[in-house]
Amino acid sequence: MQSGCSKCGKPAVYLRRYTSERLCGSCLVQTTLDRVRRTINRQKMLEENDRIAVAISGGKDSAVLLHLLHMIESNYPKSELIPVTIDEGIIGYRDKALKAAKELTKSLDLGLEVISFKDLFGHSLDELVTMRTEKSIGACSYCGVFRRRALNEAAENLEANVIAVGHNLDDEAQTVLMNIMRGDSRRIARTNVPRSRSIEGLVPRVKPLGELSERDIVAYSHHLGLVYHDVPCPYSGEAYRNDLKPFLNDMEHKRPGTLLAILRSAEAMTEAFLTSPIDWSLITCERCNSPSTSNICKACKMLEEIRG
Ligand code: SF4
Ligand SMILES: [Zn+2]
Ligand SMILES: [Zn+2]
């Protein structure tokens, strides 16, 4: 990149397209930190004496999440970061990512809690996938439902009062469109519930990287040489979101700001849903007592289907 940093004039290494900023390495780090701080404050995601369970996958998003939270939370001595990895049991993938996660947390002088599907549900994801009778349900659907449950249980056991996940702007925009395309727009509100309105029985989940694009995250982690595992999951071909990725990338390239606009629309929809007279209260699953939209929760239904 030939021109200088828009902030300080030093040689730029990165162009943040949606803000039209050219950034040198140190301004890239500083503006990323500022952006995440703003997101946290705007949505009141964290409080100063939180025990924060940080979901660490071993990939770049969670590496950047932990790195940024580590800097931000150093100003709040009463808060605590508790990195947690959910080991779904995907041979050749999660085991390698777990190594990267351990290295990363060690470099920041933090421990790492590891909780596996096998321990919690009796089966690894690889086993669940071979056992499924409902072939139309993709591996990622099982993975998503059980990972969410596992993370909630882990956070409860560790007495964390909030869970931070590394979903980025690209992920969020894909999820919004996916829900619309599946005719499930109410879910947009369910997955974006602000912490202040969190559902009883569930540890609130916050997404501090929700306004950072995947490009921003790659640039940040490369600049700082963060340790992460970058091989795609063997099941990722089954993911619905992968079909949307090229379309959204193309739109963002042609019209920078598209992803952020989708996120803002989702926030407006969430607000409209949550303030509408619709009854959002959940019932309790008859089998496991978790909050659920139906008598038997999705995780229990999936386990029943698999165990036959
Ligand atoms: S790609 Fe699918 S199966 Fe693999 S980790 Fe992600 S959600 Fe789970
Ligand atoms: Zn600069
Ligand atoms: Zn249940």
Side-chain angles (χ1 to χ4, degrees):
M1 205 169 298
Q2 287 156 356
S3 346
C5 171
S6 327
K7 300 269 176 202
C8 73
K10 285 193 200 134
V13 294
Y14 179 60
L15 169 67
R16 181 174 285 140
R17 284 208 201 96
Y18 54 106
T19 57
S20 308
E21 290 167 299
R22 288 182 311 274
L23 298 164
C24 72
S26 52
C27 292
L28 164 65
V29 172
Q30 191 54 46
T31 54
T32 307
L33 186 63
D34 292 344
R35 206 173 170 79
V36 170
R37 255 201 202 114
R38 256 200 326 270
T39 307
I40 293 174
N41 293 340
R42 198 170 70 86
Q43 301 196 21
K44 299 190 174 60
M45 290 181 177
L46 299 175
E47 288 162 17
E48 60 181 60
N49 49 0
D50 272 335
R51 272 173 71 78
I52 311 165
V54 189
I56 304 294
S57 67
K60 61 182 177 324
D61 300 307
S62 58
V64 170
L65 173 68
L66 189 64
H67 196 263
L68 287 164
L69 285 182
H70 193 252
M71 284 197 275
I72 293 171
E73 293 306 306
S74 63
N75 294 322
Y76 300 95
K78 281 193 239 153
S79 76
E80 204 178 333
L81 295 176
I82 315 167
V84 180
T85 295
I86 304 301
D87 179 1
E88 303 92 344
I90 305 172
I91 289 176
Y93 170 68
R94 184 57 72 216
D95 38 357
K96 289 195 184 123
L98 197 55
K99 240 182 102 197
K102 280 186 182 145
E103 251 180 79
L104 172 78
T105 48
K106 209 172 145 209
S107 73
L108 295 172
D109 238 350
L110 294 165
L112 179 66
E113 303 286 336
V114 182
I115 286 126
S116 73
F117 276 16
K118 184 102 182 166
D119 290 343
L120 283 178
F121 312 114
H123 310 285
S124 67
L125 185 70
D126 285 340
E127 286 164 2
L128 291 168
V129 168
T130 36
M131 288 160 81
R132 68 184 154 172
T133 48
E134 205 53 71
K135 297 291 178 206
S136 59
I137 304 182
C140 298
S141 300
Y142 292 102
C143 189
V145 167
F146 291 120
R147 180 148 24 84
R148 192 176 266 262
R149 172 61 56 88
L151 205 49
N152 193 65
E153 283 203 24
E156 275 178 358
N157 293 342
L158 295 163
E159 292 176 3
N161 51 336
V162 62
I163 301 172
V165 293
H167 298 41
N168 63 40
L169 179 56
D170 298 53
D171 300 327
E172 290 304 286
Q174 289 154 18
T175 307
V176 173
L177 283 197
M178 249 159 60
N179 285 327
I180 291 176
M181 290 167 88
R182 287 165 163 171
D184 203 0
S185 46
R186 276 191 186 200
R187 208 159 168 180
I188 294 171
R190 283 204 191 284
T191 49
N192 281 297
V193 182
R195 179 172 177 180
S196 56
R197 300 191 211 220
S198 54
I199 297 160
E200 216 190 300
L202 290 178
V203 182
R205 269 158 52 109
V206 296
K207 302 167 187 169
L209 306 189
E211 296 181 21
L212 277 190
S213 72
E214 193 170 316
R215 273 186 80 238
D216 284 349
I217 287 172
V218 170
Y220 183 95
S221 54
H222 275 189
H223 179 69
L224 291 172
L226 299 184
V227 183
Y228 67 85
H229 176 252
D230 201 17
V231 176
C233 168
Y235 300 115
S236 62
E238 295 188 23
Y240 192 121
R241 60 178 63 246
N242 281 349
D243 296 334
L244 282 172
K245 234 177 169 171
F247 163 70
L248 280 176
N249 285 348
D250 195 37
M251 285 302 291
E252 180 66 24
H253 190 79
K254 282 190 194 142
R255 298 169 197 276
T258 298
L259 298 178
L260 207 52
I262 295 175
L263 185 75
R264 296 286 179 250
S265 299
E267 285 169 1
M269 280 189 247
T270 304
E271 189 54 34
F273 271 125
L274 292 178
T275 48
S276 72
I278 300 171
D279 181 10
W280 287 93
S281 55
L282 293 180
I283 50 177
T284 307
C285 169
E286 287 170 9
R287 304 267 194 284
C288 72
N289 286 327
S290 292
S292 167
T293 48
S294 51
N295 290 348
I296 301 175
C297 76
K298 210 154 181 192
C300 287
K301 271 188 203 146
M302 283 178 161
L303 284 174
E304 252 168 44
E305 176 252 318
I306 274 166
R307 288 168 183 162

